[in-house]
């Protein structure tokens, strides 16, 4: 099996609103579960799809808190975190939460805070992966929120069953996403995305717009277990990587599609690295 873990590291920094985070500042967040976040890889001190991450944070804050940090504040907090690293290549997670904690009533004017954590870089597992099938629909799937015990629970159970990870299927029998990944498929000519309620990842958004720029056909389609046999390749993607090959979903074997993986990587790498 592929090792998909991303173990914690002592080589990490944590800032709150652009300053080193203290235990006092972290206390309320440590005991709350009402927050949202975005994750990305920094390479050479630059990032891909900054606008996508800014849009994600803004779009999630409005329904959760009724307000949002301005883009300039977010960029200043990210830039401050980037200055704490000397190597230029690392992972970054930015979490937004309210000083009112998880019991934030509508119309509350408590300020929002941003926690930024940096840690060693990751390129994800090599693959190929085998995914167990789990009947599960995430709560508020359009928001990348914290406290999702289910995705880790099902991932662990999948490993116990001899798989690498878990893919989710909704109550209509449609594949949606995997535990910490977006699913993507290949029919030999077009890139096929699952049509179901799911989190549209930032890497997914970057790949989609670059595929469009490259003139590669793509579409959304209801994908069931039975329809998997009509497809010619599958992969997962997240903030670590734009493509890890998937060769098994449940009992269905999927063909290897190296050209498909190359295409996904090419699309992602076509997105320019920019300074914050």
């Amino acid at each position: 099996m592929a090792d998909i873990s991303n173990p914690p590291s002592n080589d990490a920094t944590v800032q709150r609103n652009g300053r080193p985070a203290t235990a006092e500042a972290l206390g309320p967040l440590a005991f709350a579960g009402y927050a949202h976040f975005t994750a990305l890889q920094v390479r050479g001190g630059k990032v891909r799809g900054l606008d996508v991450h800014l849009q994600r944070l803004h779009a999630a804050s409005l329904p959760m808190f009724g307000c949002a940090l301005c883009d300039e504040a977010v960029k200043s907090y990210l830039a401050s975190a980037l200055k704490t690293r000397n190597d230029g290549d690392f992972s970054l997670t930015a979490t937004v939460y309210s000083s009112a904690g998880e019991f934030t009533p509508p119309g509350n004017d408590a300020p929002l805070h941003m926690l930024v954590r940096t840690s060693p870089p990751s390129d994800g597992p090599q693959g190929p992966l085998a995914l167990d099938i789990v009947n599960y629909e995430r709560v508020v799937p359009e928001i990348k929120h914290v406290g999702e015990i289910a995705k880790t629970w099902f991932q662990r159970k999948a490993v116990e069953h001899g798989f690498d990870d878990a893919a989710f299927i909704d109550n209509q029998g449609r594949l949606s996403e995997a535990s910490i990944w977006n699913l993507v498929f290949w029919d030999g000519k077009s890139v096929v995305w699952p049509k179901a309620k799911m989190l549209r990842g930032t890497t997914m958004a970057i790949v989609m717009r670059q595929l469009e720029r490259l003139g590669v056909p793509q579409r959304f389609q209801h994908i069931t277990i039975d329809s998997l046999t009509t497809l010619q390749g599958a992969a997962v993607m997240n903030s670590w990587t734009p493509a890890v090959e998937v060769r098994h979903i449940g009992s269905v074997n999927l063909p290897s599609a190296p050209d498909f993986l190359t295409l996904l990587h090419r699309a992602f790498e076509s997105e320019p690295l920019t300074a914050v």
Side-chain angles (χ1 to χ4, degrees), residues 111-128:
L112 299 183
H113 303 285
M114 175 173 284
L115 196 70
V116 180
R117 181 181 187 269
T118 68
S119 57
S122 176
D123 293 315
Q126 291 297 310

Side-chain angles (χ1 to χ4, degrees), residues 2 25 50 56 58 105 107-108 123-124 126 133 146 152 159 162 171-172 184 186 193 204-205 235:
L50 177 61
R56 164 185 271 178
H58 189 272
N108 177 72
D123 293 315
Q126 291 297 310
I133 297 172
V146 303
T152 304
V159 172
N171 57 16
Q172 298 182 53
V184 60
W186 179 244
W193 304 96
M204 176 181 174

Side-chain angles (χ1 to χ4, degrees), residues 27-77:
L29 184 60
F31 293 96
Y34 196 76
H36 66 86
F37 68 102
T38 194
L40 59 148
Q41 294 295 312
V42 180
R43 295 293 181 266
K46 297 181 179 181
V47 303
R48 285 186 171 89
L50 177 61
D51 63 314
V52 177
H53 291 281
L54 293 175
Q55 195 279 332
R56 164 185 271 178
L57 294 175
H58 189 272
S61 284
L62 290 180
M64 286 186 67
F65 306 115
C67 60
L69 292 168
C70 69
D71 286 352
E72 291 307 312
V74 172
K75 288 193 288 186
S76 71
Y77 299 154

Side-chain angles (χ1 to χ4, degrees), residues 13 18 26 28 51 56 65 122 128 132 151 166 181 186 190 221 224 239 243 246 255 268 273:
T13 66
L26 293 174
D51 63 314
R56 164 185 271 178
F65 306 115
S122 176
D132 197 6
K151 64 184 183 183
W181 313 89
W186 179 244
S190 302
Q221 173 184 313
T224 64
S239 63
V246 174
F268 183 73
L273 286 162

Side-chain angles (χ1 to χ4, degrees):
M1 293 192 299
D3 181 6
I4 65 170
S5 64
N6 188 30
S9 170
N10 292 327
D11 182 18
T13 66
V14 182
Q15 290 194 341
R16 177 180 179 268
N17 299 343
R19 298 177 179 274
T22 64
E24 181 181 6
L26 293 174
L29 184 60
F31 293 96
Y34 196 76
H36 66 86
F37 68 102
T38 194
L40 59 148
Q41 294 295 312
V42 180
R43 295 293 181 266
K46 297 181 179 181
V47 303
R48 285 186 171 89
L50 177 61
D51 63 314
V52 177
H53 291 281
L54 293 175
Q55 195 279 332
R56 164 185 271 178
L57 294 175
H58 189 272
S61 284
L62 290 180
M64 286 186 67
F65 306 115
C67 60
L69 292 168
C70 69
D71 286 352
E72 291 307 312
V74 172
K75 288 193 288 186
S76 71
Y77 299 154
L78 295 177
S80 177
L82 264 60
K83 292 176 183 177
T84 65
R85 309 291 303 197
N86 295 321
D87 47 9
D89 291 355
F90 52 93
S91 303
L92 185 150
T93 302
T95 302
V96 176
Y97 66 102
S98 168
S99 59
E102 57 188 299
F103 301 106
T104 305
N108 177 72
D109 59 358
L112 299 183
H113 303 285
M114 175 173 284
L115 196 70
V116 180
R117 181 181 187 269
T118 68
S119 57
S122 176
D123 293 315
Q126 291 297 310
L129 303 180
L131 305 180
D132 197 6
I133 297 172
V134 175
N135 289 94
Y136 176 66
E137 296 183 31
R138 294 197 313 116
V139 177
V140 197
E142 67 273 16
I143 294 178
K144 191 175 180 69
H145 50 80
V146 303
E148 292 190 276
I149 182 176
K151 64 184 183 183
T152 304
W153 173 267
F154 289 127
Q155 184 185 72
R156 291 171 61 89
K157 289 298 179 181
V159 172
E160 290 179 7
H161 298 158
F163 294 85
D164 298 299
D165 208 332
F168 300 149
I169 194 167
D170 66 17
N171 57 16
Q172 298 182 53
R174 304 174 302 187
L175 283 162
S176 57
E177 55 190 321
S179 66
I180 56 173
W181 313 89
N182 279 119
L183 292 166
V184 60
F185 301 91
W186 179 244
D187 69 0
K189 295 180 179 179
S190 302
V191 173
V192 183
W193 304 96
K195 187 176 182 180
K197 291 182 178 180
M198 62 181 179
L199 176 69
R200 294 198 182 191
T202 52
T203 299
M204 176 181 174
I206 291 169
V207 169
M208 285 186 68
R209 71 183 180 189
Q210 290 300 329
L211 287 174
E212 183 177 1
R213 187 187 68 81
L214 294 169
V216 177
Q218 51 186 325
R219 69 179 187 277
F220 283 89
Q221 173 184 313
H222 293 152
I223 299 175
T224 64
I225 301 303
D226 290 339
S227 67
L228 283 175
T229 57
T230 67
L231 297 170
Q232 298 183 28
V236 290
M237 63 176 62
N238 64 10
S239 63
W240 291 341
T241 172
V244 179
E245 187 174 42
V246 174
R247 294 296 305 279
H248 307 277
I249 298 181
S251 60
V252 178
N253 297 330
L254 292 152
S256 180
D259 291 344
F260 174 46
L261 302 180
T262 298
L263 173 63
L264 295 175
H265 279 279
R266 178 189 171 198
F268 183 73
E269 290 162 8
S270 296
E271 181 82 17
L273 286 162
T274 60
V276 176

